[in-house]
Amino acid sequence: DIQMTQSPSSLSASVGDRVTITCRASQDIRNDLGWYQQKPGKAPKRLIYAASSLQGGVPSRFSGSGSGTEFTLTISSLQPEDFATYYCLQHNNYPRTFGQGTKVEVK
Amino acid sequence: QVQLQQWGAGLLKPSETLSLTCAVYGGSFSDYYWTWIRQPPGKGLEWIGEITHSGSTNYNPSLESRVTISIDTSKKQFSLKVTSVTAADTAVYYCAGGSNWGQGTMVTVSS
C-alpha cells in the first residue's frame, strides 16, 4: 500500500493567516492526488484534484501544488468557514489511501 | 449536478451482514468509479472499494474477504455488503463518485 504521511496533524491559526499542509507519498504517485475538507458531521468535500486543479465552486484562496511524492495544500488567507479537517487522497494505486488528516483550529 | 443518496440498516449485531445502497441522481452513470469509504468515530477516512458501471471492482485488501460491491445500472444504484461484522466495523459509511458524496450512514455494531 502507498502510505500518505500528512503533516501537521493539527495546527492553530487565526483568520487571515496563510496555512500550509503537506502530504508525502511513500512512492511516486505522479499528480494523482486530491485534497478534501471535512466539517464535523458532514461528508468530505473535494477542494483540489490532480494535485493542483481547483474544484469548481471552491474559493481561489485554496491552492494545491506538488507532484511525485511531495504535495502541499495552501490556504492563502484563512476564513472563519475554513476551520475544519483536511485530508489528502492518492488514487495512483490500489488500495486508494488517505492521509491521517490535519485539523485546523482557531488560535 | 450529480447527487448521491444512501440508505441501509444502522444497527447490527456482531456476525451480521452490513448492507448499504447508494442511488445516483443526475449526470452520467458511466462517468465515475463508484466508491465506498468509511470513517470510524473520531478517526480518519478508509477507502473500502469501488466498482465501475461495467461491474469491475477493486477492494481494499484489509477488507476484501468480507466485502462485496455490486451495481444495478438500470436503477443507477450501487451497493455494499460487509459480512461477519464486529465492533471494529462501527463507522460512518459514505458512497462517492468523482467529487460527489452521499450524506453518510452511521452503522453501529453492538450486541
Side-chain angles (χ1 to χ4, degrees):
Chain A
D1 298 8
I2 295 176
Q3 286 231 348
M4 301 302 296
T5 303
Q6 198 173 328
S7 61
S9 55
S10 66
L11 65 91
S12 298
S14 301
V15 172
D17 284 354
R18 183 180 182 87
V19 169
T20 299
I21 300 167
T22 297
C23 253
R24 286 192 178 87
S26 59
Q27 64 189 67
D28 187 347
I29 60 168
R30 302 185 307 177
N31 70 335
D32 297 331
L33 181 117
W35 288 99
Y36 292 78
Q37 176 194 66
Q38 187 180 32
K39 296 182 179 179
K42 299 293 187 183
K45 171 187 173 183
R46 192 167 74 180
L47 304 174
I48 301 287
Y49 65 96
S52 60
S53 296
L54 192 68
Q55 188 72 37
V58 173
S60 59
R61 63 180 179 273
F62 292 94
S63 64
S65 64
S67 66
T69 61
E70 189 111 357
F71 302 87
T72 299
L73 173 71
T74 300
I75 310 172
S76 60
S77 178
L78 196 66
Q79 298 301 300
E81 60 268 31
D82 301 337
F83 292 99
T85 301
Y86 294 83
Y87 295 93
C88 60
L89 167 66
Q90 69 81 17
H91 60 92
N92 177 265
N93 213 337
Y94 291 106
R96 311 315 197 193
T97 45
F98 289 90
Q100 74 270 32
T102 296
K103 188 173 184 179
V104 177
E105 299 176 299
V106 178
K107 191 170 187 179
Chain B
Q1 177 82 353
V2 176
Q3 294 191 329
L4 280 65
Q5 183 158 7
Q6 57 182 104
W7 65 89
L11 181 60
L12 297 171
K13 290 182 166 50
S15 81
E16 291 185 334
T17 295
L18 179 158
S19 183
L20 299 173
T21 298
C22 185
V24 180
Y25 300 98
S28 172
F29 199 54
S30 60
D31 279 353
Y32 301 109
Y33 285 63
W34 302 107
T35 303
W36 289 97
I37 292 153
R38 71 180 184 179
Q39 185 172 37
K43 296 190 177 180
L45 299 160
E46 179 180 31
W47 184 85
I48 298 171
E50 67 184 20
I51 191 165
T52 68
H53 73 282
S54 60
S56 178
T57 54
N58 287 287
Y59 297 123
N60 194 322
S62 67
L63 295 164
E64 187 165 14
S65 63
R66 299 190 294 125
V67 167
T68 302
I69 298 175
S70 58
I71 197 163
D72 185 337
T73 54
S74 65
K75 294 182 179 178
K76 294 182 71 174
Q77 294 177 0
F78 61 106
S79 298
L80 171 71
K81 289 192 188 302
V82 182
T83 61
S84 305
V85 297
T86 70
D89 295 308
T90 293
V92 177
Y93 287 75
Y94 294 102
C95 59
S99 64
N100 312 290
W101 290 59
Q103 78 275 21
T105 301
M106 180 68 213
V107 176
T108 302
V109 180
S110 173
S111 56

PDB file of all heavy atoms in Angstrom, chain A residues 2-8 21-29 33 35 67-72 88 90 97-100:
ATOM      1  N   ILE A   2       0.407   2.304  -0.658  1.00  0.00           N
ATOM      2  CA  ILE A   2       1.105   3.580  -0.612  1.00  0.00           C
ATOM      3  C   ILE A   2       0.714   4.290   0.679  1.00  0.00           C
ATOM      4  O   ILE A   2      -0.472   4.475   0.953  1.00  0.00           O
ATOM      5  CB  ILE A   2       0.754   4.439  -1.838  1.00  0.00           C
ATOM      6  CG1 ILE A   2       1.283   3.760  -3.112  1.00  0.00           C
ATOM      7  CG2 ILE A   2       1.336   5.841  -1.687  1.00  0.00           C
ATOM      8  CD1 ILE A   2       0.920   4.476  -4.397  1.00  0.00           C
ATOM      9  N   GLN A   3       1.712   4.683   1.454  1.00  0.00           N
ATOM     10  CA  GLN A   3       1.445   5.423   2.698  1.00  0.00           C
ATOM     11  C   GLN A   3       1.451   6.907   2.395  1.00  0.00           C
ATOM     12  O   GLN A   3       2.382   7.416   1.751  1.00  0.00           O
ATOM     13  CB  GLN A   3       2.529   5.115   3.721  1.00  0.00           C
ATOM     14  CG  GLN A   3       2.422   3.754   4.317  1.00  0.00           C
ATOM     15  CD  GLN A   3       2.451   3.804   5.840  1.00  0.00           C
ATOM     16  OE1 GLN A   3       2.763   4.822   6.433  1.00  0.00           O
ATOM     17  NE2 GLN A   3       2.123   2.702   6.477  1.00  0.00           N
ATOM     18  N   MET A   4       0.426   7.586   2.887  1.00  0.00           N
ATOM     19  CA  MET A   4       0.336   9.036   2.755  1.00  0.00           C
ATOM     20  C   MET A   4       0.563   9.641   4.135  1.00  0.00           C
ATOM     21  O   MET A   4      -0.247   9.444   5.039  1.00  0.00           O
ATOM     22  CB  MET A   4      -1.027   9.440   2.193  1.00  0.00           C
ATOM     23  CG  MET A   4      -1.344   8.837   0.834  1.00  0.00           C
ATOM     24  SD  MET A   4      -0.152   9.236  -0.438  1.00  0.00           S
ATOM     25  CE  MET A   4      -0.342  11.012  -0.549  1.00  0.00           C
ATOM     26  N   THR A   5       1.667  10.342   4.286  1.00  0.00           N
ATOM     27  CA  THR A   5       2.013  10.940   5.575  1.00  0.00           C
ATOM     28  C   THR A   5       1.699  12.424   5.519  1.00  0.00           C
ATOM     29  O   THR A   5       2.323  13.177   4.772  1.00  0.00           O
ATOM     30  CB  THR A   5       3.494  10.709   5.898  1.00  0.00           C
ATOM     31  OG1 THR A   5       3.756   9.296   5.880  1.00  0.00           O
ATOM     32  CG2 THR A   5       3.829  11.272   7.264  1.00  0.00           C
ATOM     33  N   GLN A   6       0.728  12.813   6.316  1.00  0.00           N
ATOM     34  CA  GLN A   6       0.235  14.185   6.290  1.00  0.00           C
ATOM     35  C   GLN A   6       0.764  14.933   7.499  1.00  0.00           C
ATOM     36  O   GLN A   6       0.800  14.383   8.618  1.00  0.00           O
ATOM     37  CB  GLN A   6      -1.297  14.157   6.295  1.00  0.00           C
ATOM     38  CG  GLN A   6      -1.963  15.416   5.860  1.00  0.00           C
ATOM     39  CD  GLN A   6      -3.474  15.259   5.724  1.00  0.00           C
ATOM     40  OE1 GLN A   6      -3.982  14.183   5.373  1.00  0.00           O
ATOM     41  NE2 GLN A   6      -4.195  16.331   6.000  1.00  0.00           N
ATOM     42  N   SER A   7       1.165  16.194   7.319  1.00  0.00           N
ATOM     43  CA  SER A   7       1.646  16.988   8.442  1.00  0.00           C
ATOM     44  C   SER A   7       1.274  18.456   8.267  1.00  0.00           C
ATOM     45  O   SER A   7       1.160  18.945   7.131  1.00  0.00           O
ATOM     46  CB  SER A   7       3.170  16.840   8.563  1.00  0.00           C
ATOM     47  OG  SER A   7       3.811  17.315   7.396  1.00  0.00           O
ATOM     48  N   PRO A   8       1.036  19.161   9.396  1.00  0.00           N
ATOM     49  CA  PRO A   8       0.992  18.593  10.736  1.00  0.00           C
ATOM     50  C   PRO A   8      -0.334  17.854  10.951  1.00  0.00           C
ATOM     51  O   PRO A   8      -1.216  17.911  10.104  1.00  0.00           O
ATOM     52  CB  PRO A   8       1.075  19.832  11.624  1.00  0.00           C
ATOM     53  CG  PRO A   8       0.384  20.887  10.813  1.00  0.00           C
ATOM     54  CD  PRO A   8       0.733  20.599   9.371  1.00  0.00           C
ATOM     55  N   ILE A  21      -0.414  22.808   4.441  1.00  0.00           N
ATOM     56  CA  ILE A  21      -0.499  21.410   4.867  1.00  0.00           C
ATOM     57  C   ILE A  21       0.238  20.567   3.828  1.00  0.00           C
ATOM     58  O   ILE A  21       0.114  20.809   2.620  1.00  0.00           O
ATOM     59  CB  ILE A  21      -1.971  20.966   4.975  1.00  0.00           C
ATOM     60  CG1 ILE A  21      -2.716  21.823   6.007  1.00  0.00           C
ATOM     61  CG2 ILE A  21      -2.067  19.486   5.322  1.00  0.00           C
ATOM     62  CD1 ILE A  21      -4.233  21.665   5.961  1.00  0.00           C
ATOM     63  N   THR A  22       0.983  19.579   4.319  1.00  0.00           N
ATOM     64  CA  THR A  22       1.809  18.764   3.419  1.00  0.00           C
ATOM     65  C   THR A  22       1.405  17.296   3.474  1.00  0.00           C
ATOM     66  O   THR A  22       1.042  16.786   4.540  1.00  0.00           O
ATOM     67  CB  THR A  22       3.294  18.881   3.825  1.00  0.00           C
ATOM     68  OG1 THR A  22       3.695  20.238   3.668  1.00  0.00           O
ATOM     69  CG2 THR A  22       4.171  17.996   2.963  1.00  0.00           C
ATOM     70  N   CYS A  23       1.454  16.654   2.322  1.00  0.00           N
ATOM     71  CA  CYS A  23       1.294  15.199   2.219  1.00  0.00           C
ATOM     72  C   CYS A  23       2.502  14.627   1.489  1.00  0.00           C
ATOM     73  O   CYS A  23       2.870  15.125   0.418  1.00  0.00           O
ATOM     74  CB  CYS A  23       0.029  14.828   1.452  1.00  0.00           C
ATOM     75  SG  CYS A  23      -1.277  14.172   2.473  1.00  0.00           S
ATOM     76  N   ARG A  24       3.086  13.591   2.093  1.00  0.00           N
ATOM     77  CA  ARG A  24       4.184  12.874   1.446  1.00  0.00           C
ATOM     78  C   ARG A  24       3.753  11.451   1.144  1.00  0.00           C
ATOM     79  O   ARG A  24       3.220  10.761   2.018  1.00  0.00           O
ATOM     80  CB  ARG A  24       5.415  12.851   2.351  1.00  0.00           C
ATOM     81  CG  ARG A  24       6.137  14.174   2.441  1.00  0.00           C
ATOM     82  CD  ARG A  24       7.505  14.043   3.108  1.00  0.00           C
ATOM     83  NE  ARG A  24       8.187  15.331   3.145  1.00  0.00           N
ATOM     84  CZ  ARG A  24       8.043  16.237   4.095  1.00  0.00           C
ATOM     85  NH1 ARG A  24       7.239  16.003   5.099  1.00  0.00           N
ATOM     86  NH2 ARG A  24       8.706  17.373   4.042  1.00  0.00           N
ATOM     87  N   ALA A  25       3.989  11.040  -0.086  1.00  0.00           N
ATOM     88  CA  ALA A  25       3.654   9.683  -0.501  1.00  0.00           C
ATOM     89  C   ALA A  25       4.880   8.786  -0.376  1.00  0.00           C
ATOM     90  O   ALA A  25       6.006   9.228  -0.601  1.00  0.00           O
ATOM     91  CB  ALA A  25       3.171   9.683  -1.947  1.00  0.00           C
ATOM     92  N   SER A  26       4.637   7.528  -0.035  1.00  0.00           N
ATOM     93  CA  SER A  26       5.748   6.595   0.161  1.00  0.00           C
ATOM     94  C   SER A  26       6.373   6.149  -1.166  1.00  0.00           C
ATOM     95  O   SER A  26       7.439   5.528  -1.163  1.00  0.00           O
ATOM     96  CB  SER A  26       5.281   5.371   0.951  1.00  0.00           C
ATOM     97  OG  SER A  26       4.236   4.712   0.269  1.00  0.00           O
ATOM     98  N   GLN A  27       5.712   6.462  -2.281  1.00  0.00           N
ATOM     99  CA  GLN A  27       6.305   6.237  -3.600  1.00  0.00           C
ATOM    100  C   GLN A  27       5.697   7.234  -4.573  1.00  0.00           C
ATOM    101  O   GLN A  27       4.716   7.915  -4.252  1.00  0.00           O
ATOM    102  CB  GLN A  27       6.093   4.804  -4.078  1.00  0.00           C
ATOM    103  CG  GLN A  27       4.659   4.407  -4.311  1.00  0.00           C
ATOM    104  CD  GLN A  27       4.511   2.915  -4.581  1.00  0.00           C
ATOM    105  OE1 GLN A  27       4.747   2.071  -3.718  1.00  0.00           O
ATOM    106  NE2 GLN A  27       4.122   2.585  -5.813  1.00  0.00           N
ATOM    107  N   ASP A  28       6.272   7.307  -5.753  1.00  0.00           N
ATOM    108  CA  ASP A  28       5.841   8.270  -6.764  1.00  0.00           C
ATOM    109  C   ASP A  28       4.389   8.030  -7.158  1.00  0.00           C
ATOM    110  O   ASP A  28       4.032   6.923  -7.593  1.00  0.00           O
ATOM    111  CB  ASP A  28       6.757   8.128  -7.985  1.00  0.00           C
ATOM    112  CG  ASP A  28       6.512   9.184  -9.048  1.00  0.00           C
ATOM    113  OD1 ASP A  28       5.482   9.890  -8.988  1.00  0.00           O
ATOM    114  OD2 ASP A  28       7.352   9.312  -9.954  1.00  0.00           O
ATOM    115  N   ILE A  29       3.562   9.051  -7.006  1.00  0.00           N
ATOM    116  CA  ILE A  29       2.155   8.944  -7.415  1.00  0.00           C
ATOM    117  C   ILE A  29       1.815   9.963  -8.509  1.00  0.00           C
ATOM    118  O   ILE A  29       0.649  10.310  -8.718  1.00  0.00           O
ATOM    119  CB  ILE A  29       1.187   9.093  -6.219  1.00  0.00           C
ATOM    120  CG1 ILE A  29       1.355  10.451  -5.527  1.00  0.00           C
ATOM    121  CG2 ILE A  29       1.360   7.956  -5.222  1.00  0.00           C
ATOM    122  CD1 ILE A  29       0.230  10.763  -4.523  1.00  0.00           C
ATOM    123  N   LEU A  33      -3.521  12.968  -6.927  1.00  0.00           N
ATOM    124  CA  LEU A  33      -3.819  13.318  -5.543  1.00  0.00           C
ATOM    125  C   LEU A  33      -4.918  14.356  -5.472  1.00  0.00           C
ATOM    126  O   LEU A  33      -4.973  15.284  -6.282  1.00  0.00           O
ATOM    127  CB  LEU A  33      -2.557  13.874  -4.871  1.00  0.00           C
ATOM    128  CG  LEU A  33      -2.752  14.239  -3.410  1.00  0.00           C
ATOM    129  CD1 LEU A  33      -1.873  13.388  -2.514  1.00  0.00           C
ATOM    130  CD2 LEU A  33      -2.511  15.718  -3.165  1.00  0.00           C
ATOM    131  N   TRP A  35      -7.304  16.799  -2.529  1.00  0.00           N
ATOM    132  CA  TRP A  35      -7.417  17.360  -1.175  1.00  0.00           C
ATOM    133  C   TRP A  35      -8.892  17.534  -0.826  1.00  0.00           C
ATOM    134  O   TRP A  35      -9.677  18.015  -1.651  1.00  0.00           O
ATOM    135  CB  TRP A  35      -6.710  18.707  -1.092  1.00  0.00           C
ATOM    136  CG  TRP A  35      -5.208  18.642  -1.112  1.00  0.00           C
ATOM    137  CD1 TRP A  35      -4.390  18.845  -2.185  1.00  0.00           C
ATOM    138  CD2 TRP A  35      -4.353  18.359   0.001  1.00  0.00           C
ATOM    139  NE1 TRP A  35      -3.074  18.707  -1.806  1.00  0.00           N
ATOM    140  CE2 TRP A  35      -3.030  18.411  -0.467  1.00  0.00           C
ATOM    141  CE3 TRP A  35      -4.576  18.074   1.351  1.00  0.00           C
ATOM    142  CZ2 TRP A  35      -1.925  18.184   0.352  1.00  0.00           C
ATOM    143  CZ3 TRP A  35      -3.484  17.845   2.171  1.00  0.00           C
ATOM    144  CH2 TRP A  35      -2.175  17.900   1.676  1.00  0.00           C
ATOM    145  N   SER A  67       4.098  17.203  -7.056  1.00  0.00           N
ATOM    146  CA  SER A  67       3.968  16.004  -7.884  1.00  0.00           C
ATOM    147  C   SER A  67       5.003  14.998  -7.398  1.00  0.00           C
ATOM    148  O   SER A  67       5.943  15.363  -6.691  1.00  0.00           O
ATOM    149  CB  SER A  67       4.180  16.308  -9.366  1.00  0.00           C
ATOM    150  OG  SER A  67       5.501  16.700  -9.604  1.00  0.00           O
ATOM    151  N   GLY A  68       4.810  13.759  -7.770  1.00  0.00           N
ATOM    152  CA  GLY A  68       5.745  12.723  -7.339  1.00  0.00           C
ATOM    153  C   GLY A  68       5.426  12.242  -5.942  1.00  0.00           C
ATOM    154  O   GLY A  68       4.510  11.440  -5.744  1.00  0.00           O
ATOM    155  N   THR A  69       6.164  12.724  -4.961  1.00  0.00           N
ATOM    156  CA  THR A  69       5.945  12.272  -3.582  1.00  0.00           C
ATOM    157  C   THR A  69       5.620  13.385  -2.602  1.00  0.00           C
ATOM    158  O   THR A  69       5.311  13.105  -1.437  1.00  0.00           O
ATOM    159  CB  THR A  69       7.194  11.519  -3.063  1.00  0.00           C
ATOM    160  OG1 THR A  69       8.306  12.414  -3.069  1.00  0.00           O
ATOM    161  CG2 THR A  69       7.504  10.293  -3.915  1.00  0.00           C
ATOM    162  N   GLU A  70       5.709  14.632  -3.011  1.00  0.00           N
ATOM    163  CA  GLU A  70       5.511  15.738  -2.075  1.00  0.00           C
ATOM    164  C   GLU A  70       4.435  16.690  -2.588  1.00  0.00           C
ATOM    165  O   GLU A  70       4.526  17.201  -3.710  1.00  0.00           O
ATOM    166  CB  GLU A  70       6.821  16.507  -1.901  1.00  0.00           C
ATOM    167  CG  GLU A  70       6.796  17.526  -0.811  1.00  0.00           C
ATOM    168  CD  GLU A  70       7.672  17.145   0.378  1.00  0.00           C
ATOM    169  OE1 GLU A  70       8.257  16.052   0.357  1.00  0.00           O
ATOM    170  OE2 GLU A  70       7.749  17.945   1.321  1.00  0.00           O
ATOM    171  N   PHE A  71       3.437  16.931  -1.730  1.00  0.00           N
ATOM    172  CA  PHE A  71       2.283  17.728  -2.131  1.00  0.00           C
ATOM    173  C   PHE A  71       1.936  18.715  -1.025  1.00  0.00           C
ATOM    174  O   PHE A  71       2.130  18.434   0.166  1.00  0.00           O
ATOM    175  CB  PHE A  71       1.081  16.814  -2.408  1.00  0.00           C
ATOM    176  CG  PHE A  71       1.359  15.799  -3.473  1.00  0.00           C
ATOM    177  CD1 PHE A  71       1.939  14.579  -3.152  1.00  0.00           C
ATOM    178  CD2 PHE A  71       1.065  16.064  -4.794  1.00  0.00           C
ATOM    179  CE1 PHE A  71       2.219  13.641  -4.127  1.00  0.00           C
ATOM    180  CE2 PHE A  71       1.339  15.127  -5.788  1.00  0.00           C
ATOM    181  CZ  PHE A  71       1.920  13.919  -5.457  1.00  0.00           C
ATOM    182  N   THR A  72       1.370  19.845  -1.436  1.00  0.00           N
ATOM    183  CA  THR A  72       1.026  20.899  -0.494  1.00  0.00           C
ATOM    184  C   THR A  72      -0.353  21.455  -0.803  1.00  0.00           C
ATOM    185  O   THR A  72      -0.697  21.676  -1.967  1.00  0.00           O
ATOM    186  CB  THR A  72       2.061  22.036  -0.566  1.00  0.00           C
ATOM    187  OG1 THR A  72       3.345  21.522  -0.218  1.00  0.00           O
ATOM    188  CG2 THR A  72       1.705  23.160   0.388  1.00  0.00           C
ATOM    189  N   CYS A  88      -5.650  14.396   2.436  1.00  0.00           N
ATOM    190  CA  CYS A  88      -5.225  14.108   1.074  1.00  0.00           C
ATOM    191  C   CYS A  88      -5.625  12.664   0.741  1.00  0.00           C
ATOM    192  O   CYS A  88      -5.798  11.837   1.635  1.00  0.00           O
ATOM    193  CB  CYS A  88      -3.723  14.304   0.900  1.00  0.00           C
ATOM    194  SG  CYS A  88      -2.668  13.276   1.944  1.00  0.00           S
ATOM    195  N   GLN A  90      -4.644   9.641  -2.317  1.00  0.00           N
ATOM    196  CA  GLN A  90      -3.951   9.253  -3.554  1.00  0.00           C
ATOM    197  C   GLN A  90      -4.798   8.259  -4.326  1.00  0.00           C
ATOM    198  O   GLN A  90      -5.397   7.344  -3.752  1.00  0.00           O
ATOM    199  CB  GLN A  90      -2.544   8.695  -3.265  1.00  0.00           C
ATOM    200  CG  GLN A  90      -2.489   7.351  -2.580  1.00  0.00           C
ATOM    201  CD  GLN A  90      -2.686   6.155  -3.493  1.00  0.00           C
ATOM    202  OE1 GLN A  90      -2.561   6.252  -4.724  1.00  0.00           O
ATOM    203  NE2 GLN A  90      -3.025   5.009  -2.910  1.00  0.00           N
ATOM    204  N   THR A  97      -5.484   5.421  -0.708  1.00  0.00           N
ATOM    205  CA  THR A  97      -5.156   5.698   0.678  1.00  0.00           C
ATOM    206  C   THR A  97      -5.225   7.189   0.979  1.00  0.00           C
ATOM    207  O   THR A  97      -4.845   8.028   0.158  1.00  0.00           O
ATOM    208  CB  THR A  97      -3.762   5.156   1.044  1.00  0.00           C
ATOM    209  OG1 THR A  97      -2.824   5.485   0.007  1.00  0.00           O
ATOM    210  CG2 THR A  97      -3.791   3.659   1.227  1.00  0.00           C
ATOM    211  N   PHE A  98      -5.725   7.477   2.181  1.00  0.00           N
ATOM    212  CA  PHE A  98      -5.845   8.843   2.684  1.00  0.00           C
ATOM    213  C   PHE A  98      -4.685   9.166   3.618  1.00  0.00           C
ATOM    214  O   PHE A  98      -4.146   8.268   4.294  1.00  0.00           O
ATOM    215  CB  PHE A  98      -7.139   8.999   3.489  1.00  0.00           C
ATOM    216  CG  PHE A  98      -8.402   8.974   2.681  1.00  0.00           C
ATOM    217  CD1 PHE A  98      -9.067   7.776   2.432  1.00  0.00           C
ATOM    218  CD2 PHE A  98      -8.952  10.142   2.189  1.00  0.00           C
ATOM    219  CE1 PHE A  98     -10.242   7.743   1.701  1.00  0.00           C
ATOM    220  CE2 PHE A  98     -10.136  10.131   1.459  1.00  0.00           C
ATOM    221  CZ  PHE A  98     -10.779   8.932   1.220  1.00  0.00           C
ATOM    222  N   GLY A  99      -4.339  10.447   3.689  1.00  0.00           N
ATOM    223  CA  GLY A  99      -3.526  10.911   4.796  1.00  0.00           C
ATOM    224  C   GLY A  99      -4.349  10.832   6.074  1.00  0.00           C
ATOM    225  O   GLY A  99      -5.572  10.665   6.038  1.00  0.00           O
ATOM    226  N   GLN A 100      -3.685  10.987   7.212  1.00  0.00           N
ATOM    227  CA  GLN A 100      -4.375  10.816   8.502  1.00  0.00           C
ATOM    228  C   GLN A 100      -5.176  12.040   8.911  1.00  0.00           C
ATOM    229  O   GLN A 100      -5.912  11.997   9.893  1.00  0.00           O
ATOM    230  CB  GLN A 100      -3.370  10.425   9.592  1.00  0.00           C
ATOM    231  CG  GLN A 100      -2.479  11.560  10.051  1.00  0.00           C
ATOM    232  CD  GLN A 100      -1.192  11.663   9.240  1.00  0.00           C
ATOM    233  OE1 GLN A 100      -1.147  11.357   8.053  1.00  0.00           O
ATOM    234  NE2 GLN A 100      -0.131  12.101   9.901  1.00  0.00           N
TER     235      GLN A 100
END
